Structure formats: structure tokens, C-alpha cells
Amino acid sequence: MTVVSEPKGASPPRRRSFYDKDVQAIVWQAVFLCVVVAIGWFLYRNTMQNLAARNIKTGFDFLGSEAGFEIGETLIAYSPAANYTRALAVGFLNTLQVAIIGIVLATLLGIAVGIGSLSKNWLVAKLTAGYIHFLRNIPVLLQIVLWYTILISERFLPGPRQAEAFLGIFATQRGVYFPVPQAHAGWTAALVGFLLAAVALTLMSRWNAQRREDTGTARSLFLPGVALLMGVPFLAWALNGAPTAIDWPTLRGFNLSGGARITPEFAAVLFGLTVYTSAFIGEIVRSGIMAVPKGQTEAARALGLKPSVILRKVILPQAMRVIVPPLTSQYLNLTKNSSLSVAVGYPDLVNVANTTINQTGQAIEGVTIIMIVYLVTSLATSAFMNWYNERIALVER
Amino acid sequence: MEAAPPKILDDRAQWLRANLFSSPLNSALTILILVALALVVPKILSWALFNAVFAPDPQACRAAKGACWGFIVEKFRLMTFGTYPYEQQWRPLAVTILLLSLIGATMNLRLWGRRLWITWAICVPLMWILMRGGSIRIPWVLISGALVLTGLIGLARNIGFRDWRFISTLVLLLAGVYRFASSGVFDYPLFLATGMPLVETDKWGGLPLTLILSANGIVFSFPLAVALALGRRSELPVIRALSVGYIEIVRGVPLITVLFMASLMIPLFLPSGITVDKLLRAQIGFILFAAAYEAEVIRGGLQAVPKGQYEAADALGLSYWNKMGLIVLPQALKVVIPPMVNTFIGFFKDTSLVIIIGLFDLLGAVRLASSDVEWRIFYVEGLVFVALVYFAFCYTMAVYARRLETHLNVTTGR
């Protein structure tokens, strides 16, 4: 576009006609805004009248009153005497729990399936391709309901009384019971030690990368890494009394008690989300790897690199640039799909909010809370993934 | 040193070696998989086939170790058509066949054109009438709405002032506005007796419901999606902000909340006295949801149109609507056909969510079938059956989308 500079003061004042582009722009936007506001006001007025006619309260006051319903699975302390805010927080934490575990598992499974579908091994390639095509074409809700039906059916799993332990693990139609170490300071110390070791390892690998940049040589961190991750927690455990007591699940009366339990609701939602999403991630990984030009592999091979090094250092870094944006939307989809828990009774946010709506009748507030929480979660996830995407993006000189 | 003569293997051995035993790792993998298959496949086969019961006999099913496909044989009609009255089920069957052949025809690009769209426009109300039956009452609101719409389209087409068409459209527009303004817009001036018994929408179910929800969803959300995509690329900040806000909010929340909102809040939004039935509410929710996703697909198409096309249209002095309607959109929409088919597959699967707000689509009908005490424990077989139905539909469409992509790439030379 050429910019014609007008001599200052010399130009006659421009007369704006109705057909002027800028005037039209403002007029149309004003009209459009008026229409939107009018529709909004119309809906608002109707809603207020309807709510008044039905004697439904408005506002978020209900959040402080007693919830009065049980929640099957809670990560934080909760009782029916707690208020609705607490109940919704429990639901949100359950959503996060299933979404985060689901994202991790779906990513691992998806990468395995995606790489497998490009394998030279005919059997592996066909099986993984079949996995991808079959599972992404069945609704995720159906998959969740199917898992749940299988997991609670007496035809496929025994009841708690008939179940036989395998390595102390009971797989029953009321969930999987497995032994856990009894709570003790030693285990907490081991966990803290593991986290510290992980932080130390991250710092070491950074330092190592810097060293490679500077000197061209770097040591392998594999052995020291394993030593750190295993040794530090072990030492922390041993120094804090080396607890060995284990809480075994045992049959008491009609039910199993003790140990830890994975409920069929949680397992069904997790399996359904993981399997469905991993099929999509597999396809994304596959096309990401396919997008790396063949010359890159050939050049790497010509340099004499090992196949595993070619995959890790040449293909994957380039494929990641293609993979990350669609991967982000899969993560968001998985998180949003966790709302389908309501179909099998896993107490996620939507499920708890649904109960709240049924009890208080305040549908608008309930749905608004769900929407805001999901919007914030989605925005946070995309912000993180955008940051990661920028980090791995091609640095052009 | 003399090189050893190459071993001559026959074709099959060569294939095996290249594809299954090319390296020690691959050989190990192959053997591992074969062992796993040998353990799992016989179990699945004996459950699904050898020990299965195909006769609709619950006692035999309970005695058998395998699957009970008799459940599907027994409840086949309920699973396919839901609670639709038994002797009237030829109607949903006709609707299903009609919709499937329409979708099939739409999949053939050579048939695309005005004739196909008019067929769609006629068939959608026709299917509704066929499903519902009874006497169809047409409210004033529909008639005056149609009048206003015809009037506006007439005006928008820049017909000369003296033209009789302009005058008649103006008359139509005024008549419509008058009808809107005058009281009793919800009177019903027209009755259409179909001669078929009335079947309310809460009795609709099964495969026809799934097809109706998804096909109507994509057809009616399309204009809204185009508008949103254009709005998002618009230079007018207010319009752009509103479009972006709508698209991002809808895409940021789960479909289930949109459906909750539609089913719980539409009754609150409307003036008292007006009721919208549950199916229509779900349909509206679907349309609003689908539009946001389609808008993003269409935006991708708009961005793929070379900038020179926009500039050339500007240089010709075309108005915004002419530029978009005649130059940009035809090119953009062609590019987005394959991703649109994929979006459609997504919506087809998503229609299963209406079960949560109490409609009986394919999945809901199976749940209904398994509420029969005698058959309750065979819900799994019903679900497997529905999963295969969904797979058949979605996989066909996915294969079609892939072929279309190759076809379009060849014809556009990209």
C-alpha cells in the first residue's frame, strides 16, 4: 500500500458521507450491537419474570448452605454437612484427577500406538492401525458406559465375597482393591526424596546440555539418574525408620476393607477417556512423524547415527512442532469429555453441579459455575501448551 | 574372497522376512504379539461366537458361558426405533432411508447444486411431518417469519425500485412485520391433516433420532458457522470481538453443559406460555454448539484463500458481500469439505450425549431395552451392537473424507 502524505493544512476538510466506508463500519457495528443487546435484554427480562413466577431464588447465596448429599470419592475431607462450595471443589478435584491421569496415560499409549503404526513390522503396523481406526470411530460416552457395564457386571467379575486375591489384589465388581503401605513418616520422606531427586536430575541435565553446547562432549546421565531416583528415596525411607507394614485388603462381612480401592466408576471413565483419546493422539503422532522429510532420516543415517538416536534426536524434535498444536486440542477434549462421568456416576464437577441444580433449582447459576470452571481450565491448559509450543518451535536465524 | 551366492527365497518367505523378522527386535516383537494373540483371540471368539446364544431365549442365555446375541434379536425393533409405536414404525424406517439416501447423494460431489439443496429444504420438513403425523398446525410466527425473510432476501438482491418483484417483496415484508406486531402471533391459521396418527417427539428414538439430530445439526449450523467465521475475520472490532467470544466460549465448555443449558434454560429464556419440546431444545443446543466448531474449520478455509483473491475482488470494486459470496467463500468452502466431514463424524458421535438429558437415541434405546429385568444382565451385548453400528457409520464417512481429500487435491493441483 502506498501512503500518500497530504500536505498539512492544505487539504480541505473531508466531508463524511453515509456511504463512506468508515461511517458505514460504525453504523453497522452500532446496529449489530443494539440487536445483540436487545436480544440479551429480552432474554434477561423473560428469565427474571419466569424465575419470579416459579419462586426460584437468584444469586450465589446457595453456595454457603449445607449440601446434604454424599459424594462417593473425595480427595479432600468432605461430609454431607459441608456446604455446596466444598462439594463443588470436591467435584472439581475429581475432574482434575481423572483428566490429569487420563492425559498422561493417553499420551504414553498414543505415542506408542502412533510410532507402532509406522513400524516395519507388518503385524505391529496392522494392529495399531486397527486400534486407531476402530476406537476413534466409537463415541467416547459409549466406551465409558461399556467399560462401566463390564466392570460392574457379575458375568465378568466376581463379587467381593467370591473374589480371590492375586498378589493381594482383589478384582471385584465393586472395584479393584490392592494393598498399600501403611501411612508412616518414612513413606512421606521417600516421596519428598523422590521429588527432590527429580528436581536435581532436571538441573543436572540442563547443566549437561550447556556443557555439550560449550565443549561438544557430554556424559550420559542414565546411570547417575537411575541412582539418584532410586537411591535418594530409599535413603530417606531407611533413615526414617524403614516402615514395612502394609495395609492388606481383607474380607469383612459382605465387603472388602483395608488397602486402597479403585472404584469401577473412576476406572470406567479413565479407561474410556484414555483409550478414545489415545487413538486420536496415535493418529496425530503418526502424521507428525510422516511430516518430517525423508531426507532428514537419510542424512542422519548417512552420518552413522543409530536408529534410536535418529528417532530421538532427529525425527521427534521436528515432528513435535507438527504434533503439539493438535495434541493441545486433544488434551482439552479429554478434559471436557471427563464431564461424561455423569453418565456412570463418577462424582466429577458436572455430576456434583447437577445434583446441586436438582436440589436448589438454580440451574442458571449451576451451569454458569461449570462453564466458568471449564473455561478457566481450558485457558490454563492452552496457555501452558502454547508456552511449550513456543519453546520447541523452530528458531529461525 | 568369493561372495556367497544370494539365497533364493520364495516370495512368501521373503515377505515374512521383510515384514515380520527383519531384525532380532522385530522377530521378538512378532513372536510376543503372536503369543498374546493366541492367548486372547480364542477367548474372545469363544465368548462372542462358539459359546454364544443367538436365540432370543433368556434362560438359554443365562445357562451359556458366552455372549447373548439373542437379546439383540429380541429387542431389535426397540433398539432401532426406540419407543415409537410398533405398528407405525414404517415411518421412522422411511425417514431413515430418506435421510441416508440424502446423505449418500450429498457425498457425491457431482450432484452438488441448487437442485440438491432444494431437495434438502423440502425433505427436512417432510421428515418432520412424517415422524410426527397428526394434524400439523402452522403458527403465524412461521408464516410471518417466512414473509419477512423473503422480503429481506428480495431487498438484498438489489432489485430496481420500479420492478414488480421489489414491490411484491416489500408488500410481503410489510405483511410479515404487521403480522408479527399484531397480537396472536401464536394462532394457527393453517391446519394440515396428514391422516397418520400423532406421535409426540418424546416417543421418537433409536437410529432415526441419531440421524435427525446430527443431520439437522450440521445443516442448520452451517449458515451460522459461515457468519461466525466471517465475523471472526471481519475488520469491524465489535463484530470480531463478539464472534471470537462466542466461538471461544462454546469451544471451551463441554457439550454436556451446552445441552444442560438448552434443556434447562431455554424454557426460562422464553416468554411464559411458550413451550419448546425437549427434542427441539436439544437440537437447538446442538446447532449452537456445532456452529462454533464449524466456524473454526471454515476460518481455516478462509485463511487458505490466497490474499491476491481478496485484493483482486477489492480492485474490481466488489462490495463486501459480493466479494465474499462470489469470490472468497466458493474457494474457501471447497477446501474445507474434507475437514467438515470429519467434524460431522464428531457430531454424529456426540449425539449420543442426548441420553444424559433424557432422550432415547441409539444408545438410549439400548439402555431402555436393557431395563427389561429378564435381559438386564445382557446390556453389554446391546452396547457392543450399538458400538458396531456407530463404527460402521463413522468409518464409512472417514474413508469417504480421505478419498475426497485425495480427489480434491488432484483436481485443484495442490
Side-chain angles (χ1 to χ4, degrees):
Chain A
M1 285 259 272
T2 44
V3 180
V4 184
S5 57
E6 291 176 28
K8 263 189 182 168
S11 66
R14 258 173 87 196
R15 221 178 118 252
R16 300 252 175 194
S17 97
F18 178 71
Y19 293 100
D20 190 291
K21 212 179 150 200
D22 297 338
V23 177
Q24 284 232 325
I26 291 170
V27 169
W28 281 117
Q29 291 186 78
V31 168
F32 191 71
L33 202 60
C34 286
V35 170
V36 170
V37 169
I39 293 175
W41 184 79
F42 174 71
L43 297 180
Y44 176 78
R45 202 197 52 170
N46 288 336
T47 309
M48 285 303 136
Q49 282 175 353
N50 283 323
L51 289 177
R54 293 175 202 192
N55 276 328
I56 299 175
K57 275 190 288 184
T58 52
F60 289 90
D61 294 338
F62 71 92
L63 285 174
S65 46
E66 188 184 309
F69 57 87
E70 287 280 355
I71 298 182
E73 287 169 63
T74 57
L75 290 174
I76 50 172
Y78 172 82
S79 75
N83 59 22
Y84 282 115
T85 315
R86 186 97 185 157
L88 289 168
V90 168
F92 178 59
L93 287 177
N94 281 338
T95 295
L96 279 188
Q97 168 175 267
V98 78
I100 290 172
I101 299 178
I103 283 175
V104 172
L105 292 181
T107 309
L108 295 177
L109 197 56
I111 290 175
V113 168
I115 294 177
S117 70
L118 290 168
S119 164
K120 269 189 199 154
N121 190 319
W122 183 83
L123 209 52
V124 174
K126 288 289 159 191
L127 279 177
T128 46
Y131 176 93
I132 291 175
H133 288 310
F134 188 63
L135 291 165
R136 55 185 262 163
N137 282 318
I138 295 172
V140 60
L141 175 64
L142 178 50
Q143 296 194 26
I144 291 175
V145 174
L146 186 56
W147 282 115
Y148 184 63
T149 314
I150 291 174
L151 289 178
I152 60 161
S153 167
E154 68 266 32
R155 292 165 64 201
F156 300 98
L157 286 172
R161 297 189 67 185
Q162 292 80 38
E164 280 168 35
F166 176 73
L167 295 175
I169 303 169
F170 289 88
T172 75
Q173 61 184 81
R174 291 207 196 142
V176 177
Y177 295 78
F178 58 94
V180 282
Q182 260 170 23
H184 189 284
W187 294 112
T188 325
L191 187 69
V192 173
F194 181 79
L195 291 177
L196 286 178
V199 171
L201 193 63
T202 318
L203 291 177
M204 272 169 68
S205 77
R206 275 207 190 158
W207 176 75
N208 207 28
Q210 188 59 45
R211 214 174 105 100
R212 189 172 51 229
E213 291 279 306
D214 295 344
T215 64
T217 54
R219 291 205 190 91
S220 164
L221 276 181
F222 184 70
L223 281 179
V226 170
L228 255 178
L229 288 180
M230 308 270 283
V232 174
F234 178 77
L235 270 179
W237 172 78
L239 289 177
N240 280 287
T244 50
I246 284 181
D247 189 7
W248 297 92
T250 44
L251 187 67
R252 283 203 197 108
F254 289 100
N255 223 332
L256 287 159
S257 64
R261 172 180 174 224
I262 299 174
T263 63
E265 290 83 15
F266 176 78
V269 175
L270 184 68
F271 286 176
L273 292 177
T274 302
V275 167
Y276 182 75
T277 314
S278 71
F280 282 88
I281 293 179
E283 182 64 24
I284 290 168
V285 169
R286 194 186 72 91
S287 49
I289 294 176
M290 297 268 278
V292 178
K294 220 179 161 191
Q296 295 287 326
T297 323
E298 289 167 353
R301 222 180 280 154
L303 287 173
L305 296 180
K306 281 189 291 184
S308 62
V309 178
I310 296 177
L311 186 67
R312 263 191 308 128
K313 299 278 178 192
V314 180
I315 298 177
L316 278 185
Q318 299 188 60
M320 282 312 271
R321 294 182 191 128
V322 184
I323 290 172
V324 167
L327 193 62
T328 308
S329 59
Q330 285 309 319
Y331 288 174
L332 294 177
N333 282 348
L334 189 146
T335 312
K336 285 184 279 174
N337 282 338
S338 70
S339 62
L340 300 179
S341 311
V342 72
V344 293
Y346 175 68
D348 78 321
L349 176 70
V350 175
N351 203 346
V352 174
N354 200 23
T355 314
T356 308
I357 290 173
N358 288 337
Q359 288 190 358
T360 59
Q362 294 193 279
I364 298 177
E365 288 84 353
V367 174
T368 311
I369 290 173
I370 309 177
M371 285 189 154
I372 289 174
V373 170
Y374 272 101
L375 269 180
V376 171
T377 316
S378 296
L379 287 178
T381 314
S382 6
F384 172 75
M385 291 306 282
N386 284 343
W387 167 81
Y388 181 64
N389 193 28
E390 262 168 42
R391 230 182 67 131
I392 60 162
L394 189 63
V395 183
E396 286 188 67
R397 271 172 277 240
Chain B
M1 213 174 86
E2 210 175 306
K7 262 192 209 160
I8 297 169
L9 298 165
D10 69 66
D11 282 353
R12 257 175 280 165
Q14 222 161 18
W15 185 90
L16 279 178
R17 181 175 230 186
N19 291 301
L20 294 177
F21 302 100
S22 59
S23 68
L25 181 71
N26 259 339
S27 308
L29 213 56
T30 304
I31 291 166
L32 201 70
I33 290 175
L34 285 178
V35 169
L37 286 179
L39 286 176
V40 174
V41 170
K43 272 193 182 171
I44 293 178
L45 283 182
S46 76
W47 182 80
L49 289 177
F50 305 136
N51 288 328
V53 177
F54 292 87
D57 175 5
Q59 260 63 49
C61 277
R62 268 163 222 273
K65 275 183 184 167
C68 174
W69 303 117
F71 173 46
I72 291 149
V73 177
E74 170 79 17
K75 303 279 183 185
F76 184 74
R77 294 279 284 265
L78 181 60
M79 285 182 190
T80 357
F81 298 125
T83 49
Y84 207 89
Y86 195 81
E87 56 294 341
Q88 293 292 324
Q89 283 177 359
W90 62 271
R91 283 153 58 181
L93 181 67
V95 166
T96 308
I97 293 171
L98 192 63
L99 252 178
L100 286 180
S101 38
L102 261 181
I103 292 172
T106 315
M107 279 170 133
N108 187 346
L109 288 189
R110 262 174 296 175
L111 293 178
W112 280 38
R114 183 163 296 191
R115 225 186 259 169
L116 186 65
W117 309 139
I118 292 176
T119 318
W120 265 107
I122 294 172
C123 283
V124 167
L126 191 71
M127 284 184 281
W128 190 76
I129 292 170
L130 196 57
M131 282 296 275
R132 192 171 176 279
S135 57
I136 308 289
R137 302 177 302 169
I138 299 168
W140 266 122
V141 112
L142 217 61
I143 298 168
S144 45
L147 289 179
V148 169
L149 205 65
T150 346
L152 284 178
I153 291 173
L155 287 184
R157 296 184 82 174
N158 296 329
I159 302 165
F161 280 105
R162 298 245 175 104
D163 198 307
W164 64 271
R165 280 176 299 184
F166 176 78
I167 297 170
S168 53
T169 47
L170 201 63
V171 171
L172 286 179
L173 179 67
L174 290 176
V177 171
Y178 171 73
R179 263 321 320 183
F180 257 127
S182 60
S183 58
V185 282
F186 290 99
D187 295 345
Y188 303 94
L190 285 182
F191 277 86
L192 185 70
T194 56
M196 292 178 290
L198 172 71
V199 180
E200 293 286 0
T201 53
D202 55 354
K203 293 255 186 279
W204 301 12
L207 184 61
L209 189 73
T210 299
L211 287 174
I212 287 174
L213 276 172
S214 47
N216 284 341
I218 198 121
V219 169
F220 287 99
S221 59
F222 190 71
L224 185 57
V226 172
L228 282 168
L230 289 176
R232 191 166 187 168
R233 304 253 305 152
S234 164
E235 286 166 4
L236 312 178
V238 172
I239 290 174
R240 194 172 54 228
L242 285 171
S243 309
V244 171
Y246 179 85
I247 293 172
E248 291 307 325
I249 287 177
V250 172
R251 276 161 41 95
V253 301
L255 170 58
I256 189 72
T257 57
V258 178
L259 287 179
F260 270 151
M261 192 148 132
S263 86
L264 295 171
M265 283 158 74
I266 285 180
L268 293 178
F269 282 157
L270 294 174
S272 54
I274 305 178
T275 51
V276 180
D277 80 26
K278 210 196 242 171
L279 177 63
L280 194 56
R281 277 181 269 160
Q283 184 73 74
I284 292 171
F286 251 108
I287 291 169
L288 294 179
F289 180 77
Y293 282 80
E294 282 169 38
E296 285 298 273
V297 176
I298 295 170
R299 182 167 73 110
L302 289 176
Q303 284 171 349
V305 176
K307 218 179 159 196
Q309 299 288 325
Y310 289 86
E311 288 167 356
D314 284 336
L316 286 173
L318 293 182
S319 73
Y320 177 81
W321 294 109
N322 278 338
K323 175 172 79 174
M324 287 302 167
L326 299 174
I327 310 286
V328 178
L329 277 176
Q331 301 182 59
L333 294 183
K334 192 180 172 194
V335 181
V336 300
I337 296 171
M340 279 297 257
V341 178
N342 285 325
T343 320
F344 181 67
I345 298 174
F347 294 136
F348 186 78
K349 288 183 288 178
D350 282 344
T351 51
S352 57
L353 264 64
V354 294
I355 191 180
I356 296 175
I357 56 167
L359 290 172
F360 297 104
D361 73 321
L362 212 44
L363 185 53
V366 168
R367 193 167 71 169
L368 199 65
S370 76
S371 62
D372 185 340
V373 182
E374 250 185 323
W375 297 100
R376 181 168 294 156
I377 60 168
F378 305 112
Y379 189 22
V380 174
E381 280 83 347
L383 290 172
V384 170
F385 167 69
V386 180
L388 292 178
V389 173
Y390 270 108
F391 174 75
F393 275 101
C394 296
Y395 188 68
T396 316
M397 287 190 279
V399 169
Y400 165 73
R402 221 167 336 160
R403 250 194 234 156
L404 202 60
E405 209 162 344
T406 348
H407 173 75
L408 287 177
N409 278 350
V410 169
T411 50
T412 53
R414 245 180 285 198

